[in-house]
Amino acid sequence: MAAQRRPEDRDEPGGAVEVLADLGEDELLDRILPLFAVSPVVLVPAGDDAALLAATDSVLATTDAMVRGRDWLEAWSSAQDVGAKAVAQNVADIAAMGGVPTGLLVTLVADPRTPVAWVEEFSRGLAAAAGDAGVAVVGGDLSSAPEGTLVVSVTALGDLEGRDPVLRSGARVGDLVAVSGSLGRSAAGLLLLEQGREEEAPELVAAHRRPRPAYEQGPLAALAGASAMLDLSDGLVRDGRRVARASGVQLALTGEALAGDVRALVGAVGPERARDCVLTGGEEHSLLACFPADRAVPEGWRVLGEVRTGAGLTLDGQHLRGGGWDHFGSGREDDDPS
Amino acid sequence: MAAQRRPEDRDEPGGAVEVLADLGEDELLDRILPLFAVSPVVLVPAGDDAALLAATDSVLATTDAMVRGRDWLEAWSSAQDVGAKAVAQNVADIAAMGGVPTGLLVTLVADPRTPVAWVEEFSRGLAAAAGDAGVAVVGGDLSSAPEGTLVVSVTALGDLEGRDPVLRSGARVGDLVAVSGSLGRSAAGLLLLEQGREEEAPELVAAHRRPRPAYEQGPLAALAGASAMLDLSDGLVRDGRRVARASGVQLALTGEALAGDVRALVGAVGPERARDCVLTGGEEHSLLACFPADRAVPEGWRVLGEVRTGAGLTLDGQHLRGGGWDHFGSGREDDDPS
């Protein structure tokens, strides 16, 4: 089933684009593996049947896939952006449990006509983001795919270093609700890309292309006694409702607490869209947590409201259902009405 | 980007085929998650940002993807077969390090027009194989993909329970080379499928469709002092040469030791093909290990030869290079000539 090189691959004037079908799997690995840093927790690196990582007494594990055309568009995100984002969304999940990332496994399923340069740039973006998060790439897989397909699947492993995990279900009435990091910036950046206005606020577009959540706040929140936590991947309302549902409580937010977030986006996308981005914008990956009211909310977090009896998420007392992202598209909401 | 249902999806006489686009992601999860068994090592199951698994003091991690059209053909493998095989090839990698599997993360990237029934059957096959291997599904991801694409990506985690990992690099001159399980049966089964002769030896076809390596022999081999081990995913010659290269030795096998394996396949595929299947047939996932000669090779293993000074793999003194599988198809061999 060796993929054949076709004449139309030679689509650059004056020369051929080197594509994956031109290389052996191991030749490709020889090019990209040196990009990845090592880490002291890696006891056996990639290259054997499995990698071996040190673990305190348990291991966190999460996985997220990205598909070209659905999770990114070639015209809007560079290969480096895709690599960086694949790291960010997985490491944010580890942080949201109160853990530190210890290893990444990266699978690339690609049309054999994918340029080798794309894979190299993807690996550079991935390696830089992994290095920034202090995590090593310890394994992966390369597979060829049908024409036009490009899929990146990342698994992140993490360690709680003896801390208890911070679940979505631990929020208690009276807790404060707080966020670490921005709200709505990724969605606003996406909107600008859709409108061809990316030059008007490049910092928002960058937040969409290459989010850098404050991972380090996850373990700090756990140490500060956070009762519940998650990362905001599908929007404040939808993800907030997940915490509410898992904990059997209501998250009561105030418009005043969000006013600054909205204001920061109004210039770029207008007042109505700014509010939507803050409330329902996905892929922000900031951490949302609840903290017992008798303990100080740690530095780097700002209070958005409080936990009350009831259900769902309210803004100044009004229930919000929020939109969100549904991967197979029936539009059915995944959180129960409340 | 909600996928639209198209009229041509209604391609069954008298009724519509329910496809992924008809369901919300969470509705789909509601159907398949109950299929998966729980396990005492799972401290936090799927459903939060990350799962949490107990670990002795380290964690093994490996990942393998399967792509429809490359790793399986719809006509030859049922959805249950695909689910079972995805488990087998990953758990075999954990076993080959001397570990027991503790958790699986399963990602499905699928055309929204994929029948829901396929995903349910896939999940049943996966759940049965996972249960048989004593491992829980602790996470995953569902993504929609371009038309025609169906990708399964599995990450397996494992625990050494305090044992040292058995690497590919530990073989020492004088060790015995042994295998646990069959050789060439999966490749012979594939050959029969290719020739439309699957009814002549259904047990070989079953070995191809749904391998069941003796996972439990991995930890037992480690306890018995195995110096090196891997699972045979790319053929005896190619994988044996990997051990030789990693260990800086030669694996010297004897035709006599393999005669029974060849003989068992001659009736189905003829003498020449039988030999090829035994030497180079992939996807068998039996374990190949080296044991110090002063210790007994454990029950369930049979000796194929010995470790000598030199390089590569020999059969009755003759060097074999073997073919093998290269995912991007240049045909370049990944093991150095020796």
Side-chain angles (χ1 to χ4, degrees), chain A residues 36-49:
Chain A
F36 299 122
V38 294
S39 148
V41 299
V42 180
L43 307 176
V44 176
D48 217 297
D49 289 77

Side-chain angles (χ1 to χ4, degrees), chain A residues 26 53 59 65 70 141 327 334, chain B residues 26 53 59 65 141-142 144 334:
Chain A
D26 292 284
L53 298 174
V59 60
R70 186 184 76 83
D141 194 14
H327 290 171
D334 75 336
Chain B
D26 292 285
L53 297 174
V59 60
D141 195 14
L142 291 166
S144 62
D334 75 336

Side-chain angles (χ1 to χ4, degrees), chain B residues 5 22 54 179 232 239 299:
Chain B
R5 187 90 191 281
D22 297 329
V179 70
L232 295 172
D239 286 322
E299 203 178 331

Side-chain angles (χ1 to χ4, degrees), chain A residues 1-3 20-28 30 43-44 47-65 67-71 93-94 96-97 105-110 112 139-146 148-149 151 153 155 157 160 165-169 229-231 238 242 325-330 332 334, chain B residues 1-3 20-28 30 43-44 47-65 67-71 93-94 96-97 105-110 112 139-146 148-149 151 153 155 157 160 165-169 229-231 238 242 325-330 332 334:
Chain A
M1 288 205 217
L20 293 182
D22 297 329
L23 292 187
E25 184 177 355
D26 292 284
E27 199 175 350
L28 181 62
D30 287 346
L43 307 176
V44 176
D48 217 297
D49 289 77
L52 184 67
L53 298 174
T56 303
D57 56 5
S58 62
V59 60
L60 292 163
T62 182
T63 191
D64 249 318
V67 180
R68 180 173 60 189
R70 186 184 76 83
D71 297 294
D93 281 329
I94 296 296
M97 300 294 285
L105 296 104
V106 182
T107 291
L108 187 67
V109 179
D141 194 14
L142 291 166
S143 287
S144 61
T149 297
V151 174
S153 176
T155 296
L157 304 180
L160 288 168
V166 184
L167 308 183
R168 297 176 178 186
S169 55
M229 183 157 53
L230 50 50
D231 89 291
R238 192 166 178 176
R242 287 180 170 139
W325 187 255
D326 195 311
H327 290 171
F328 288 110
S330 73
R332 175 177 171 274
D334 75 336
Chain B
M1 288 205 220
L20 294 182
D22 297 329
L23 292 188
E25 184 177 355
D26 292 285
E27 199 175 349
L28 181 61
D30 286 348
L43 307 176
V44 175
D48 217 297
D49 289 79
L52 184 67
L53 297 174
T56 302
D57 56 6
S58 62
V59 60
L60 293 163
T62 182
T63 192
D64 249 317
V67 180
R68 181 173 60 189
R70 185 185 75 84
D71 297 293
D93 281 329
I94 296 295
M97 300 295 284
L105 296 104
V106 182
T107 290
L108 187 67
V109 179
D141 195 14
L142 291 166
S143 287
S144 62
T149 297
V151 174
S153 177
T155 296
L157 304 180
L160 288 168
V166 184
L167 308 183
R168 298 177 177 185
S169 55
M229 183 156 52
L230 51 49
D231 88 290
R238 192 165 177 176
R242 288 180 169 138
W325 187 253
D326 195 314
H327 290 172
F328 287 110
S330 73
R332 175 176 170 275
D334 75 336

Side-chain angles (χ1 to χ4, degrees), chain B residues 269-282:
Chain B
V269 300
E272 196 175 329
R273 287 262 168 102
R275 184 178 181 276
D276 285 350
C277 286
V278 167
L279 291 174
T280 66

Side-chain angles (χ1 to χ4, degrees), chain A residues 157-252:
Chain A
L157 304 180
D159 199 298
L160 288 168
E161 301 172 325
R163 294 180 294 274
D164 285 332
V166 184
L167 308 183
R168 297 176 178 186
S169 55
R172 295 292 168 262
V173 173
D175 287 355
L176 296 172
V177 181
V179 70
S180 176
S182 55
L183 292 170
R185 288 169 61 85
S186 174
L190 177 60
L191 205 56
L192 292 176
L193 282 166
E194 286 168 352
Q195 297 172 342
R197 296 170 52 222
E198 59 265 37
E199 283 163 24
E200 294 178 29
E203 73 286 1
L204 297 180
V205 175
H208 174 71
R209 286 180 171 147
R210 221 181 277 211
R212 203 311 191 176
Y215 313 123
E216 55 280 6
Q217 289 295 335
L220 293 175
L223 288 171
S227 56
M229 183 157 53
L230 50 50
D231 89 291
L232 295 172
S233 49
D234 295 329
L236 177 60
V237 172
R238 192 166 178 176
D239 286 322
R241 285 169 59 90
R242 287 180 170 139
V243 171
R245 184 171 50 160
S247 300
V249 297
Q250 178 179 101
L251 266 54

